[in-house]
Amino acid sequence: MSYRSIIAGADSEQPDVAAATSAAAEAFAGYRATSPEARADFLDAVAAEIEAARAEIVEAAVAESHLPEGRISGEVGRTTGQLKMFAGVVRRGDHLGVRIDPALPDRTPLPRADIRQRQIPLGPVAVFGASNFPLAFSTAGGDTASALAAGCPVVVKGHPAHPLTGYLVAQAITRAVEKAGLHAGTFSFLLDTDVKGGIELGQTLVVDPRIRAVGFTGSRGGGLAIVAAAAARPEPIPVYAEMSSINPVVVLPGALEGDIDALATAYVGSLTLGSGQFCTNPGLLFLPRGEAGDTFLAAAGRATAEAVGGTMLTPGIAAAYEKGVEKLRATDGVTVVGEGAAGETDAPAPQIVEAARLAGVTDEVFGASGVVVRFDSVEDLLPSLESLEGQLTATVHATDADNEAAAQVVSALELKAGRILFNGWPTGVEVGHAMVHGGPFPATSDSRTTSVGSLAIERFQRPVAYQDVPAALLPEPVRDDNPWHLARRIDGELQLP
Amino acid sequence: MSYRSIIAGADSEQPDVAAATSAAAEAFAGYRATSPEARADFLDAVAAEIEAARAEIVEAAVAESHLPEGRISGEVGRTTGQLKMFAGVVRRGDHLGVRIDPALPDRTPLPRADIRQRQIPLGPVAVFGASNFPLAFSTAGGDTASALAAGCPVVVKGHPAHPLTGYLVAQAITRAVEKAGLHAGTFSFLLDTDVKGGIELGQTLVVDPRIRAVGFTGSRGGGLAIVAAAAARPEPIPVYAEMSSINPVVVLPGALEGDIDALATAYVGSLTLGSGQFCTNPGLLFLPRGEAGDTFLAAAGRATAEAVGGTMLTPGIAAAYEKGVEKLRATDGVTVVGEGAAGETDAPAPQIVEAARLAGVTDEVFGASGVVVRFDSVEDLLPSLESLEGQLTATVHATDADNEAAAQVVSALELKAGRILFNGWPTGVEVGHAMVHGGPFPATSDSRTTSVGSLAIERFQRPVAYQDVPAALLPEPVRDDNPWHLARRIDGELQLP
């Protein structure tokens, strides 16, 4: 099967950026005016079209990503679930953030005008999908779903690691656009399978004046290049880049009083899941010095030795992994704790190393490589945590006996990570209302947001106030009769519909 | 009276950035942990200390700004009112944005973890006050009040146009910090009265690694320099710069069927208020061609001729105004409609000009200079509106008879401005819950926010998720017993306390 770009509903041999963004700009006025029900129905329809094409999408994604069918099949469900969640968000309408301060004509010394606020969409959004989640963080992934939910047309830059998957998903979205009777420019998909051409395509897209915001999931280098390009525009735009994280795990002494073997096996399981190709892969683990810690490390080494590398997403990612491992092993004070077996082509061996010190071992190695650093006490540990860069997640293993230390650890980790979890593993990001998949730089380029979960919609909006606007001209969300049954803040007080 | 910097509670001859930011970083842990009541009481105490020093603050501000005493006295009330409003926001706690997705242990195929989200403060914030509001947008202005409300220590860069005013207000804040028993680093005030020294001081402050966000109100050049410096840091930080706006006014035909003289006089009143030194000054007015429009223009010309220039905030601002006026008059197609009288030293004459076309007349001239552009029909007008840069405000004068045209105008203006107002004038920004004082670039550097009103607090926060964190370690806002009586989103549904 052949694949190509889809621009405003039509297949195109050329990934013509201006054609896609012009169509998106044209589509914006109509799309942002859709009713909550119409927009939510459209999101549900996108989910249904993806579900209808599930078999061929799964086949393509498995072939292109080398990820197992079970995982890819689950990711389809996650992708459609995400779209349906945002349909629910749109129907509820809380993201419109309505605030009404009624007029006070008799106030002295000056009367107060009638002032009403709502959030409006920013305009056309460019989305760069990730190689490691060809569905849930790609063409119809969280960035696309939340931007469409906010009322923004979307132009996706297809990922060269899964071009057919992207194209098939783009076709599904295009069918939903057509059936919903929306302007064809509401969604476009631009593809250049040449890596260098793809990078140029992405740069052109980010600096196009019609693009008003960017969602990106990928490498630190790629993300920073997009951030720089967006900041250098005559009119800068927000970039939500999810880039780099080593997801520190802190094991406190109490956690080593239970089943150490099970804990070590679970650690290695999370580290090697999907060949370690998760943004939330636990790349750094802080372990108490002493006998119990030694036992854990030995068990983790044994579990790693039993692991076999899986084929990575691309040969480039496999090569970068091997280079990262090499650099790590050449670092002073680093010793190998356990090494698994290499698998087929481009399936390098998983590994765990112990590092005598934190300095020099905190660069992300994308893949199944774990670094263990030991600590003597929480006083010893805290400066290490405080020295870390921003992270997507931070994990603590502890029991109630550790509470005093754990409280200090949580307080330090809050300033470093978007999500703190206890007695679990960070791989696995729940799509829900309370999730944060974000965090301080360089985990993301904008710590004030999340790229997973319903809060993600707020990235693509801005507030507008209406002062003394005649009733006949007020937008529905701020009208007195509240036709959309929204929760609204009246004079500062939240009122349910 | 002498004035200087105040660093962590102590007067200092030198505006030592590192000393102030180190103290702020030290203060952060304790300050962010304050209870809502303690933090709100502190904000109220800042207001009370300013009120107690009102006489000397007003005297200093009038002398330094050349603004009339009535205006400055009103601005003190606005400043303290703002602090008290944020105290109320902190007590209510809705800005904490709590979301709880309870565990679903029986969910298949995988159980759901317990996930809870709240907003936490970013850390120490740098605030650059504005020359034109020596109180409400300066040392204890909206940026400082909202950052302190969010739980962020603040380092103010004092404005050289009102050094004593800034110092007196900083003393008041310092007294409140001390009485509240807070860490002295919670607030510092850095002053360099030399303009060049002050610019260097500001740059040093913005790139200091302990600063986590910046609030700025001032010129486009100054704002863009700060945005660039913040973006070039090893770890970039958000900058909220409110910079430049010409605040277009659209007069629709119906508005000219009433009292044209009164409308024209009100226009000139808004244009010349405070010598035109408002961010929201109506610098551009679109007027229908034809007899009624001619009558309006003639009346506006007469009203302008009767106006006398007031002494501007600084000689530099007066010189920039005269240069801007000169450039405008030299533009092809520009004719003078009315010119007032120059006042005392540095009090240049107000003016209104008519421009044959929009091109070349849209640069902000800070001061009492208005440009009028005529239009034939709404079809003629809309492309002009669409060509404008981002604005803080956009105003429409219309009657019910204009509704059809007004709807199109509002739809265009929504994409250009943070606030749309009808049948009024944009000078005068209400401090409330629904206000937006923001807008697309270059009105501000971040259209997603407002610098006035209670929503401003959200600029200094970021979300953190807690997954399966033991009850004993959960922060108060997300605990099951809801000790702070917060509105919370449970499984996506908003619930009032």
Side-chain angles (χ1 to χ4, degrees), chain A residues 213-494:
Chain A
V214 179
F216 169 92
T217 308
S219 70
R220 186 162 174 173
L224 291 181
I226 287 174
V227 167
R233 289 167 49 123
E235 184 176 357
I237 54 173
V239 174
Y240 304 103
E242 192 248 273
M243 298 185 287
S244 170
S245 185
I246 56 172
N247 305 294
V249 177
V250 173
V251 177
L252 290 175
L256 297 176
E257 287 177 13
D259 185 340
I260 292 184
D261 256 7
L263 189 67
T265 306
Y267 162 50
V268 174
S270 177
L271 186 75
T272 58
L273 189 70
S275 306
Q277 299 168 118
F278 283 86
C279 319
T280 54
N281 192 55
L284 177 64
L285 184 139
F286 292 98
L287 185 68
R289 252 187 252 285
E291 205 177 317
D294 293 346
T295 306
F296 174 93
L297 201 56
R302 286 194 302 275
T304 307
E306 284 167 22
V308 180
T311 303
M312 296 190 82
L313 293 157
T314 69
I317 288 174
Y321 173 79
E322 304 220 58
K323 205 172 145 190
V325 164
E326 201 178 311
K327 190 182 158 212
L328 201 52
R329 291 191 184 191
T331 303
D332 189 43
V334 168
T335 51
V336 177
V337 172
E339 182 176 10
E344 301 165 34
T345 321
D346 296 325
Q351 69 152 13
I352 294 177
V353 301
E354 184 175 2
R357 64 197 70 84
L358 195 56
V361 300
T362 57
D363 286 347
E364 184 181 31
V365 177
F366 190 71
S369 169
V371 174
V372 176
V373 172
R374 312 292 289 268
F375 66 93
D376 286 314
S377 65
V378 71
E379 291 71 33
D380 177 28
L381 172 66
L382 289 175
S384 294
L385 300 182
E386 285 159 10
S387 77
L388 292 173
E389 291 189 310
Q391 306 290 339
L392 293 171
T393 73
T395 301
V396 181
H397 283 271
T399 63
D400 288 352
D402 298 305
N403 270 358
E404 202 178 321
Q408 293 174 270
V409 167
V410 166
S411 189
L413 293 177
E414 268 177 343
L415 303 183
K416 295 293 174 180
R419 176 166 58 117
I420 294 170
L421 57 152
F422 266 66
N423 299 326
W425 298 97
T427 41
V429 180
E430 183 72 35
V431 177
H433 301 283
M435 176 52 68
V436 176
H437 188 63
F441 184 93
T444 77
S445 59
D446 192 333
S447 73
R448 297 161 294 175
T449 61
T450 173
S451 66
V452 174
S454 59
L455 192 70
I457 194 173
E458 298 190 0
R459 298 178 297 169
F460 302 113
Q461 304 189 134
R462 68 177 182 85
V464 174
Y466 303 82
Q467 179 171 326
D468 287 337
V469 172
L473 296 172
L474 281 174
E476 285 90 340
V478 297
R479 286 192 188 158
D480 279 339
D481 61 346
N482 195 7
W484 291 359
H485 310 290
L486 303 172
R488 314 204 286 189
R489 185 173 299 281
I490 311 293
D491 244 338
E493 194 185 327
L494 206 46

Side-chain angles (χ1 to χ4, degrees), chain A residues 44 75 115 117 164 169 212 229 248 277 280 305 341 406:
Chain A
D44 281 339
E75 207 184 311
I115 306 176
Q117 182 185 127
L164 177 56
V169 172
R212 316 304 302 166
Q277 299 168 118
T280 54

Side-chain angles (χ1 to χ4, degrees), chain B residues 307-335:
Chain B
V308 180
T311 303
M312 296 192 80
L313 294 157
T314 68
I317 288 174
Y321 173 79
E322 304 220 59
K323 205 171 146 189
V325 165
E326 200 178 312
K327 191 181 157 209
L328 201 52
R329 292 191 183 190
T331 304
D332 189 44
V334 168
T335 52

Side-chain angles (χ1 to χ4, degrees), chain A residues 28 32 92 94-95 99-101 107 111-113 115-122 212 220 224 227 231 233-236 238-240 390 400 403-404 406-407 410-423 425 428 430-436 439-442 445-450 453-455 458-459 461-470 472-473 475 487 489 491-496, chain B residues 28 32 92 94-95 99-101 107 111-113 115-122 212 220 224 227 231 233-236 238-240 390 400 403-404 406-407 410-423 425 428 430-436 439-442 445-450 453-455 458-459 461-470 472-473 475 487 489 491-496:
Chain A
F28 181 45
R32 81 180 179 100
R92 183 175 271 134
D94 291 348
H95 64 293
R99 295 166 166 240
I100 299 178
D101 294 343
R107 191 182 65 172
R112 183 171 82 178
I115 306 176
R116 296 161 190 247
Q117 182 185 127
R118 68 156 172 171
Q119 299 281 335
I120 69 167
L122 290 178
R212 316 304 302 166
R220 186 162 174 173
L224 291 181
V227 167
R233 289 167 49 123
E235 184 176 357
V239 174
Y240 304 103
D400 288 352
N403 270 358
E404 202 178 321
V410 166
S411 189
L413 293 177
E414 268 177 343
L415 303 183
K416 295 293 174 180
R419 176 166 58 117
I420 294 170
L421 57 152
F422 266 66
N423 299 326
W425 298 97
E430 183 72 35
V431 177
H433 301 283
M435 176 52 68
V436 176
F441 184 93
S445 59
D446 192 333
S447 73
R448 297 161 294 175
T449 61
T450 173
S454 59
L455 192 70
E458 298 190 0
R459 298 178 297 169
Q461 304 189 134
R462 68 177 182 85
V464 174
Y466 303 82
Q467 179 171 326
D468 287 337
V469 172
L473 296 172
R489 185 173 299 281
D491 244 338
E493 194 185 327
L494 206 46
Q495 298 187 1
L496 299 183
Chain B
F28 181 44
R32 81 180 180 99
R92 183 175 272 135
D94 291 348
H95 65 291
R99 294 165 165 241
I100 299 178
D101 292 345
R107 190 183 66 173
R112 183 172 83 178
I115 306 177
R116 296 161 191 248
Q117 181 186 128
R118 68 156 171 170
Q119 299 280 337
I120 68 167
L122 290 178
R212 316 305 299 165
R220 187 160 173 174
L224 291 180
V227 167
R233 290 167 47 122
E235 184 176 355
V239 174
Y240 304 103
D400 288 353
N403 271 357
E404 203 179 319
V410 166
S411 190
L413 293 177
E414 268 177 343
L415 303 183
K416 295 293 175 181
R419 176 165 59 117
I420 294 169
L421 57 153
F422 266 66
N423 298 328
W425 298 97
E430 182 72 36
V431 177
H433 301 284
M435 177 51 69
V436 176
F441 183 92
S445 58
D446 192 333
S447 74
R448 297 162 294 175
T449 62
T450 173
S454 60
L455 192 71
E458 297 189 2
R459 298 178 297 168
Q461 304 189 134
R462 69 178 181 86
V464 174
Y466 303 83
Q467 180 172 327
D468 287 338
V469 171
L473 296 172
R489 186 173 299 281
D491 244 339
E493 193 184 328
L494 206 46
Q495 298 187 1
L496 300 183

Side-chain angles (χ1 to χ4, degrees), chain A residues 124-139:
Chain A
V125 170
V127 171
F128 292 71
S131 60
N132 62 338
F133 277 84
L135 298 158
F137 284 83
S138 198
T139 310

